[in-house]
Amino acid sequence: MKIRFWGTRGSIPTPGQRTVRYGGNTACVEVRDSTDHLLVLDAGTGLRELGIKLNGTSPLMVDLLLSHLHWDHIQGIPFFRPVYDPKSTLRLYGPTQHRPLRELLGLGMDDPFFPVDLDGLPVHLEIHEIESGSKRKIGPYEVSATTIFHPAPALAYRIEADGRSIVYATDTEDPFSGQPNPVIELAKNADLLIHDGQFLDSDFKAGWGHSTVATALDVAQRAKVKRLILYHHDPDRSDDALDRIGVEAQHAADAQGQGLEVIVAREGAELTV
Ligand SMILES: [Zn+2]
Ligand SMILES: [Zn+2]
């Protein structure tokens, strides 16, 4: 599989001089298997850039997994060019909520918040709800989902194709309440773990639903993953700060002697899994 980061920032877009290298767009990752089937992880503002790169390809079949419905994970939907193409299909998947997913997604685009309603988008739109603990085929991908600890219903996903596995666990806090962290089981022996690394121990805010870099490292080591990507960067984190976090995290991983590689997610970066 190949992946590309279109947005790595958490909470809110952060354009500006301090974030040029790691990027200011919010959560969005492109995944391709050996058949080149497009799977998108989250629809933050990075999704707009992906839509531009697709450059009018039509018809297009896009599968898009939403971890949850916070703004930084859905705001790109109305700015994703393929949604204005009646020949294309967008299949959106997200966690089951207290109200139907279609209704909740539609709220953010309702008048007067946005001029086009979700149901008014020209694309053929399918919306599917995913239960925690489920496993399903999405295109060529086998996708397993687990509920994670966050202030809104949220899922982490394990994606398998071509004999490889990627786990996407953003917006997740270690439960700390004696319960096991569900991401460890989901990520067992994965080739790649994309994990929330919003906080450091020094600025951790309990109950906000995010992990520290130390927690991300701990999960990766317990799950025995090969590569860890620190993701969902705090909006206050500058490029220089992220450089330092990357060096320190790799140093901490090396001290454990498991051969874990740590990468700080950077907008535009491509990886082969
Ligand atoms: Zn977020
Ligand atoms: Zn969130």
Side-chain angles (χ1 to χ4, degrees):
M1 283 185 278
K2 282 200 164 66
I3 65 168
R4 184 182 169 115
F5 291 93
W6 291 95
T8 63
R9 194 62 54 175
S11 310
I12 189 166
T14 56
Q17 293 303 311
R18 298 169 71 245
T19 56
V20 171
R21 286 185 288 116
Y22 289 92
N25 278 306
T26 55
C28 184
V29 183
E30 173 185 6
V31 180
R32 302 272 185 174
D33 76 327
S34 56
T35 67
D36 212 34
H37 187 94
L38 174 58
L39 176 72
V40 184
L41 308 177
D42 271 332
T45 59
L47 184 65
R48 177 179 169 275
E49 307 278 335
L50 170 59
I52 293 168
K53 192 208 77 165
L54 293 168
N55 196 24
T57 309
S58 175
L60 200 67
M61 164 65 78
V62 184
D63 285 307
L64 201 163
L65 291 172
L66 296 170
S67 60
H68 62 307
L69 303 189
H70 282 160
W71 283 344
D72 50 326
H73 300 260
I74 63 163
Q75 248 178 350
I77 295 171
F79 298 95
F80 184 45
R81 288 188 183 176
V83 302
Y84 296 96
D85 174 17
K87 295 205 241 14
S88 290
T89 300
L90 174 62
R91 295 191 294 214
L92 274 177
Y93 305 82
T96 303
Q97 319 264 330
H98 60 292
R99 286 160 71 179
L101 190 56
R102 177 177 280 272
E103 187 183 319
L104 290 170
L105 276 170
L107 288 178
M109 287 175 63
D110 249 356
D111 193 48
F113 301 109
F114 195 75
V116 184
D117 285 347
L118 187 72
D119 289 328
L121 293 175
V123 71
H124 175 68
L125 180 66
E126 292 176 22
I127 296 180
H128 302 279
E129 300 188 3
I130 294 193
E131 302 279 348
S132 179
S134 68
K135 190 168 188 170
R136 67 193 294 166
K137 197 93 174 153
I138 295 180
Y141 304 96
E142 194 77 57
V143 177
S144 314
T146 295
T147 289
I148 44 182
F149 291 84
H150 201 59
L155 293 172
Y157 297 107
R158 182 181 180 109
I159 299 135
E160 297 181 322
D162 305 334
R164 295 280 189 273
S165 47
I166 295 171
V167 172
Y168 183 75
T170 188
D171 297 59
T172 179
E173 181 173 341
D174 192 313
F176 289 122
S177 45
Q179 302 170 64
N181 188 327
V183 181
I184 297 171
E185 184 60 32
L186 187 74
K188 275 265 154 65
N189 301 313
D191 294 292
L192 187 80
L193 170 62
I194 302 169
H195 198 286
D196 184 334
Q198 176 143 357
F199 293 133
L200 295 170
D201 292 347
S202 54
D203 54 23
F204 176 67
K205 295 168 188 73
W208 283 34
H210 294 287
S211 292
T212 60
V213 171
T215 295
L217 280 166
D218 184 57
V219 169
Q221 278 155 349
R222 285 176 195 270
K224 298 188 166 50
V225 306
K226 296 186 182 69
R227 277 196 283 181
L228 168 67
I229 313 283
L230 298 171
Y231 183 68
H232 201 278
H233 308 314
D234 191 278
D236 287 344
R237 209 75 79 202
S238 67
D239 288 333
D240 291 347
L242 287 170
D243 282 343
R244 282 195 298 277
I245 285 169
V247 169
E248 283 164 18
Q250 184 64 67
H251 194 69
D254 291 346
Q256 296 294 317
Q258 281 185 20
L260 174 69
E261 183 187 356
V262 185
I263 298 169
V264 179
R266 184 175 58 74
E267 199 173 306
E270 291 179 322
L271 291 169
T272 301
V273 182

